[in-house]
Amino acid sequence: MNNQFWRIERRPEGTDFAGALALVQEPLPELADGEIRISNAMLSMDAGTRLWLTDREDGYQPPLPVGAPMTGLVVGEVVGSKAEGFSEGDLVRAFGVWGQMSQVDAMMSGAVRLDPSVDDKRAWFGPLGMNGWTALWGMEQTGAAKPGERVLVSAAAGATGILAVQIAKILGCEAWGIAGGTEKCRYLTEDLGIAGAIDYKGGDVGKQLDSAGGFDVYFDNVGGPILDEVLIRMSHYGRIAVCGLLADYGSGSRTSPQEFDQVLMRRLRVEGFFSPDFMDQGERLTARLREWVDAGKLRMPYDVTRGLENTLEAYAKLFTGSNIGKVIVELET
């Protein structure tokens, strides 16, 4: 059986993914003990995977080697199994490959069986997946947001940020978001009903932030210059939960806050967090998130691209800011 998938040919420069990845076809090997074969129905597009395409060895995981398949979260049906606990026909989520099929070690890929009763299977990438886990954990545990506090989220119209601002509201906080463009800011304030939105493309970010006052919690998905603007507007004893560094991915830059002294002056706590660190809490987090989804308290807009051949166009949306919500590629199965 042949598999069509995206292979890394070279390290991409900026968003030139078409010049770095190639759609190829190769035969699948026989299943080994512990492996499952998944017919991918959907691929998750996640900005953090951009770091895997660099040659940085000091990231949160080693880079993917040139010549390897591009890796990411997939949802699909098990069509072959030599792994205990997985049977043909199971709906699963795992770290697989950007391809028609993913053949993976069930344990090493973090494969989990999914509840088929969830009507919108895309939710397993959004509020019921790692974006949801990350938003909840970062807001409640790392950020330690408390009712009545003012919370700010960057990349607030992205897949994790859009959940983080809603969770802040659910926890009784005053939620603010940073996003690029009037349409995204309108969505945050009018559709989601958060307290306010800062348009970083609209000029004078600092003045816009001043309209809110001090922030007790900053859920940071971006890093870069915006972090400096926020540091001097944090409340004393505030917390900064560092989820991502979108400003750095693919640019070769490193976030170097000029206002770092405010960590001392305002007695701030700055802490990074990463979803594999709380993977063992996934079942508990999912159950809680599902209550909010079923109650209509937690929503996710989806930006869907169809066809494996269009994957790179979908991926680029994460870095050009043209999406609202979760970017997904749906495959023809």
Side-chain angles (χ1 to χ4, degrees), residues 263-312:
V263 175
L264 173 61
M265 304 308 174
R266 297 167 191 256
R267 276 77 94 197
L268 305 177
R269 176 167 63 81
V270 182
E271 182 178 347
F273 67 103
F274 182 43
S275 56
D277 297 340
F278 44 88
M279 194 82 73
D280 61 327
Q281 300 295 310
E283 187 174 341
R284 177 181 66 82
L285 296 171
T286 301
R288 193 155 168 224
L289 290 159
R290 187 168 180 181
E291 287 182 8
W292 293 335
V293 170
D294 291 346
K297 295 181 178 180
L298 200 56
R299 293 185 285 161
M300 173 66 87
Y302 296 97
D303 185 314
V304 176
T305 297
R306 290 179 173 82
L308 179 63
E309 67 278 8
N310 299 315
T311 300
L312 302 188

Side-chain angles (χ1 to χ4, degrees), residues 42-115:
M42 296 183 291
L43 311 178
S44 175
M45 300 289 102
D46 297 289
T49 59
R50 179 63 180 85
L51 198 59
W52 305 351
L53 289 167
T54 70
D55 56 6
R56 282 186 60 176
E57 296 286 349
D58 60 346
Y60 44 70
Q61 78 166 49
L64 293 170
V66 171
M70 182 56 189
T71 298
L73 278 173
V74 306
V75 163
E77 180 181 326
V78 175
V79 293
S81 175
K82 283 193 175 182
E84 186 176 349
F86 294 89
S87 303
E88 290 187 17
D90 285 345
L91 181 69
V92 298
R93 181 182 61 221
F95 277 100
V97 303
W98 287 3
Q100 294 172 330
M101 297 277 184
S102 292
Q103 187 161 310
V104 294
D105 182 285
M107 180 178 293
M108 296 301 293
S109 67
V112 292
R113 291 187 295 121
L114 304 175
D115 182 351

Side-chain angles (χ1 to χ4, degrees), residues 8-60:
I8 304 167
E9 302 292 301
R10 60 189 61 84
R11 302 293 179 198
E13 295 184 9
T15 58
D16 181 21
F17 303 118
L21 284 83
L23 191 59
V24 299
Q25 197 163 181
E26 289 183 2
L28 285 166
E30 294 295 318
L31 278 170
D33 289 342
E35 287 188 339
I36 57 175
R37 183 176 291 162
I38 305 165
S39 177
N40 295 334
M42 296 183 291
L43 311 178
S44 175
M45 300 289 102
D46 297 289
T49 59
R50 179 63 180 85
L51 198 59
W52 305 351
L53 289 167
T54 70
D55 56 6
R56 282 186 60 176
E57 296 286 349
D58 60 346
Y60 44 70

